[in-house]
């Protein structure tokens, strides 16, 4: 699974430092937005032919890791 996370890159000079896929200008949030709008993995891969199946898996692993933290109620 850690191999998948190597597909997510962060470059302060690209896309405002937002996480992207393999150094391309395809942000993790772009892919998540496509899923949220109802597209399937196959449709996303057709829409963005530079992506690979493993990139889509990496997006979910990355998002899961970023969201897995306690919420402190004040």
């Amino acid at each position: 699974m850690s191999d998948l996370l190597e597909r997510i890159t962060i470059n302060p000079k690209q896309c405002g430092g937002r996480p992207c896929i393999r150094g391309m200008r395809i942000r993790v949030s772009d892919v998540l937005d496509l899923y949220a709008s109802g597209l399937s993995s196959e449709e996303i891969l057709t829409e963005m032919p530079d992506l690979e199946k493993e990139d889509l898996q990496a997006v979910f692993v990355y998002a899961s890791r970023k969201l897995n933290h306690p919420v402190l109620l004040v």
Side-chain angles (χ1 to χ4, degrees), residues 1 6 12 15 23 25 27 29 36-37 39-41 49 61 64 67-68 70-71 73-74:
M1 195 174 321
E6 291 176 8
C15 294
R25 293 188 181 277
R27 298 175 301 172
S29 61
S37 68
L39 270 67
S40 68
S41 296
V61 172
S64 174
L67 291 172
N68 188 20
V71 175
L73 301 175
V74 180

Side-chain angles (χ1 to χ4, degrees), residues 3-36:
D3 291 342
L4 288 175
L5 288 176
E6 291 176 8
R7 292 176 168 268
I8 306 300
T9 57
I10 299 173
N11 179 347
K13 297 180 181 181
Q14 182 181 21
C15 294
R18 291 176 180 83
C20 294
I21 300 171
R22 292 186 289 121
M24 297 183 282
R25 293 188 181 277
I26 301 172
R27 298 175 301 172
V28 168
S29 61
D30 296 332
V31 175
L32 290 172
D33 286 344
L34 291 174
Y35 275 117

